[in-house]
Amino acid sequence: DRGGTVEVLLTRIVQSPCRLIGLSAVLGEADKLAKWMRADVVKYERRPVELRYGVLHAGTFRYRTYNEYSEGEETLVDVPGESPWETLTQNVCQFAEAGESCLVFVKAKHEARRGAELRARRYAGPAASNALAALADLEDTCARETLLVSLESGIAFHSTDLTPDERRIVEEAFRAGEIRVLVSTSTLAVGLNLPARNVFITAEKWCYDRRFGMPWKAPILRGEYESMGGRAGRYGAGHEYGRSILIAATPFDQETLWRRYIEGAREPIEPRLAKEPLENYVLRLVASRFCTKEDELIEFLESTPSGEWVWHELYTPEEVGVRVRAAVNRAMDAGALAPAEDGRVEATPFGQAIASKGIALGTARELERWICDSETRVWCDVDLLLAAALTPDGRMYNVSLTAKEYDTGDYPRRLRAVECDEISADVPLKRLRNSTVTPFFEEVRAIKIALFLKDWIEHASLRELEEEHHTMTGQVLSASEQIAWIVDAAAGIAQARGCADGFVKRLRMLSERVQRGLRAEAVPLARLGEPGISRGALAALVTACLHTPRALAYNPSVVLGRLYVSLELVDHV
């Protein structure tokens, strides 16, 4: 998803005087990338701790060692006639009883949560006391409730459904050895040092096809398999070796997995810039004044991996020029670029706002239309929240929407029930409220996001949001960050268009409210008190009419203490 942006960034760094060191454990065709970077490749192919990686079938773990590249077999638990899930469960329980930590990667968030619940019933390990104590101080959520039960057996799960605090507690407890079994989605596959003695890997993942608006299952990549399996056999964990285990249900599956992941080659880098709307990158290059002429844009884009590895194979130099000029023209037609002197192009104020906020041109055009229709009318918060959630950058495929939720039509009905003044403009809220047919799947997901964010900024508790909207807190927090970014971009576009200050200020305030989950009157106090006051305490202060500096200064500390407000905050205010 970050491919095109990373390509442009890396190309700019390579062409600068900066010195660059790149590190990767799973890079396919490293020599090809090094040649493009004009870099030297330094290879070191030994691990400080040996790793046995292979396939478990019928109780036999056939493996290959990473350092010695030798093959061997190990007898583990055999569960004849049972599913791979049962085989996984019994082997995990046996390892945990022997004091060995296990990290289990699954393909879906609900599988992570359900897997932790089921294994906690089968394995009565020592409780993760420190993690339980830390969780007890957090706000109530569905994930927290599940963790409080599973942690009694030393088992937990990890996914984006957890809050950042919940994830931090789980990670620290697993690293400390309190948690023996951790069931996780791929959120732990990269970027975190969480050593485990044994790693079990599901060889499938969910991919979202934007062309058809639906998810589908696909095999994980060889590089993804290595990233996950590399959590085992880590330096400093005190193990002689680690295990990276795939489970096969049949002899055919065993052979297939062995050839694909044990003997297979790492996938080469696949440039993404050539597959994405080029006008977004043209606008950013021009807005940053890195390229100001068409020939400079052509020269730079031809020097990217997409240019050298894809375009040079498929197109003539003239055809590449046509593609770049077409991208420039699309940005001009959108009003983001304009011709300047000496054959140069420059970003308009509208274009500068788009580039500085990092949104796509398609998102900017939809926001611009909403702004043009809304600056002088009365509008409610959910109006803009829905418009933002429907933009290309606002679509959040990680927010769950089940087929049952879609079929019942409950969210469109709730949207029509939202109190809002008569809408005269042609905006998404009016169109979807007045529609006589069921909206598309992604439109219903956007409605769901807009509705739970409306309740989020009206101080609904996390548990209330989860139960009312059939979602998880992690999804609410992720949506709040994403939609707050889109609304902030709308404020930047409105300012660039010369809209009234009051309109721009309201957009900026709504962005901050969505980010924090607060009513407008609580935001000034949140700015003064961060990070020492929680959202729940701020909501309680607003309810008690104690959110102003004067109210804080003239109320007894015992009253404020009941609302979880620290005296340090009062002194600061």
Side-chain angles (χ1 to χ4, degrees):
D1 289 340
R2 309 182 195 126
T5 300
V6 172
E7 267 194 73
V8 172
L9 174 62
L10 187 57
T11 304
R12 289 190 63 171
I13 293 175
V14 167
Q15 295 181 2
S16 74
C18 295
R19 299 177 65 196
L20 184 65
I21 299 175
L23 302 176
S24 177
V26 295
L27 191 63
E29 297 187 3
D31 292 332
K32 183 177 181 180
L33 179 64
K35 181 179 179 182
W36 171 78
M37 294 175 62
R38 299 184 297 279
D40 297 321
V41 179
V42 179
K43 293 183 180 179
Y44 187 77
E45 298 186 350
R46 290 190 65 85
R47 299 173 59 93
V49 178
E50 184 61 273
L51 175 66
R52 297 178 177 181
Y53 60 107
V55 183
L56 170 63
H57 173 64
T60 299
F61 175 46
R62 179 190 175 194
Y63 63 83
R64 178 175 286 171
T65 59
Y66 189 93
N67 288 338
E68 303 305 325
Y69 212 66
S70 61
E71 294 187 15
E73 292 184 350
E74 186 177 355
T75 300
L76 301 181
V77 179
D78 184 18
V79 192
E82 295 291 342
S83 66
W85 188 259
E86 180 63 22
T87 300
L88 169 65
T89 297
Q90 293 208 22
N91 277 279
V92 165
C93 289
Q94 180 167 332
F95 282 136
E97 288 170 359
E100 298 185 12
S101 60
C102 296
L103 178 56
V104 182
F105 282 108
V106 294
K107 62 181 177 294
K109 293 180 287 188
H110 72 273
E111 289 183 9
R113 184 173 65 255
R114 186 62 175 157
E117 289 178 323
L118 293 175
R119 284 170 181 80
R121 296 174 187 171
R122 303 276 294 273
Y123 169 70
S129 303
N130 292 330
L132 286 166
L135 278 173
D137 294 332
L138 300 184
E139 185 175 350
D140 185 28
T141 66
C142 291
R144 173 180 171 273
E145 181 180 315
T146 301
L147 286 171
L148 286 173
V149 174
S150 66
L151 286 170
E152 291 288 351
S153 300
I155 295 176
F157 72 98
H158 190 288
S159 74
T160 55
D161 279 350
L162 275 64
T163 67
D165 284 338
E166 290 167 347
R167 290 200 296 269
R168 175 184 52 79
I169 290 169
V170 168
E171 290 160 13
E172 290 177 354
F174 186 74
R175 194 177 290 117
E178 270 202 334
I179 294 175
R180 291 282 179 84
V181 180
L182 180 57
V183 189
S184 175
T185 57
S186 59
T187 53
L188 290 180
V190 292
L192 287 171
N193 181 26
L194 288 179
R197 179 69 191 273
N198 307 289
V199 175
F200 292 85
I201 301 170
T202 301
E204 292 179 320
K205 64 180 179 180
W206 285 105
C207 299
Y208 199 91
D209 194 320
R210 301 188 182 189
R211 296 171 299 173
F212 305 111
M214 60 185 297
W216 55 284
K217 283 192 290 189
I220 61 174
L221 301 176
R222 175 64 152 73
E224 291 172 323
Y225 164 74
E226 287 194 88
S227 289
M228 295 177 188
R231 306 301 102 186
R234 284 297 183 96
Y235 181 74
H239 304 142
E240 180 184 353
Y241 60 85
R243 301 181 187 90
S244 172
I245 304 172
L246 293 159
I247 296 179
T250 66
F252 176 79
D253 290 343
Q254 180 188 31
E255 185 63 25
T256 300
L257 291 172
W258 184 270
R259 291 185 180 182
R260 176 71 177 89
Y261 297 107
I262 312 306
E263 296 181 335
R266 296 168 183 155
E267 297 83 4
I269 291 176
E270 182 182 353
R272 297 297 301 273
L273 182 64
K275 299 180 179 181
E276 298 180 9
L278 197 57
E279 55 269 26
N280 292 325
Y281 302 98
V282 165
L283 172 58
R284 293 166 193 168
L285 288 167
V286 173
S288 65
R289 297 183 177 85
F290 187 77
C291 298
T292 58
K293 292 184 177 180
E294 286 186 358
D295 58 350
E296 294 174 350
L297 287 166
I298 293 170
E299 181 181 2
F300 176 82
L301 292 170
E302 281 187 318
S303 68
T304 63
S306 285
E308 293 195 1
W309 301 346
V310 180
W311 289 348
H312 286 184
E313 294 289 331
L314 299 177
Y315 309 116
T316 65
E318 291 75 18
E319 289 173 324
V320 173
V322 169
R323 294 175 68 85
V324 175
R325 281 189 287 273
V328 172
N329 290 335
R330 288 193 294 271
M332 285 186 173
D333 292 341
L337 293 179
E341 298 177 354
D342 302 325
R344 299 180 181 275
V345 289
E346 63 182 10
T348 63
F350 175 56
Q352 285 287 355
I354 298 170
S356 66
K357 298 301 180 181
I359 60 174
L361 193 56
T363 296
R365 296 186 71 170
E366 292 185 22
L367 293 176
E368 184 185 33
R369 281 194 293 270
W370 186 90
I371 290 167
C372 291
D373 290 333
S374 306
E375 181 184 4
T376 58
R377 70 178 175 92
V378 177
W379 52 275
C380 57
D381 294 336
V382 76
D383 196 330
L384 179 51
L385 295 176
L386 179 61
L390 286 167
T391 63
D393 286 319
R395 294 173 187 167
M396 301 195 63
Y397 305 110
N398 64 315
V399 173
S400 61
L401 178 70
T402 65
K404 182 179 179 181
E405 286 180 286
Y406 176 74
D407 291 338
T408 60
D410 191 39
Y411 291 113
R413 179 190 59 77
R414 292 191 203 179
L415 185 68
R416 287 189 285 271
V418 171
E419 292 186 9
C420 200
D421 291 328
E422 184 66 28
I423 304 172
S424 58
D426 183 21
V427 293
L429 179 59
K430 179 181 180 180
R431 174 173 59 82
L432 291 174
R433 279 164 64 111
N434 296 338
S435 176
T436 57
V437 298
T438 303
F440 293 116
F441 194 88
E442 289 309 324
E443 290 177 323
V444 176
R445 194 200 306 268
I447 293 172
K448 176 178 180 176
I449 292 170
L451 290 175
F452 72 59
L453 288 181
K454 177 185 75 69
D455 292 345
W456 162 251
I457 62 177
E458 289 300 325
H459 292 177
S461 70
L462 295 177
R463 196 56 184 263
E464 288 172 339
L465 290 169
E466 291 179 328
E467 294 175 352
E468 177 69 18
H469 299 282
H470 309 289
T471 189
M472 297 291 284
T473 292
Q475 297 177 26
V476 174
L477 298 179
S478 177
S480 74
E481 291 183 1
Q482 190 84 354
I483 301 304
W485 164 51
I486 304 296
V487 175
D488 181 62
I493 292 171
Q495 186 174 33
R497 286 183 51 83
C499 293
D501 288 344
F503 180 68
V504 175
K505 287 179 180 178
R506 182 178 174 187
L507 296 181
R508 295 201 191 283
M509 174 58 78
L510 181 58
S511 172
E512 191 168 359
R513 290 177 61 203
V514 173
Q515 178 77 37
R516 298 175 183 270
L518 295 173
R519 295 177 186 168
E521 55 265 39
V523 170
L525 184 59
R527 294 171 183 163
L528 287 172
E530 56 183 8
I533 186 167
S534 68
R535 173 178 176 265
L538 287 165
L541 286 170
V542 170
T543 301
C545 297
L546 297 175
H547 56 281
T548 65
R550 182 178 180 84
L552 286 173
Y554 287 95
N555 270 276
S557 59
V558 65
V559 174
L560 300 176
R562 287 199 295 266
L563 298 174
Y564 307 104
V565 178
S566 67
L567 297 180
E568 290 80 4
L569 172 64
V570 178
D571 293 339
H572 178 62
V573 173

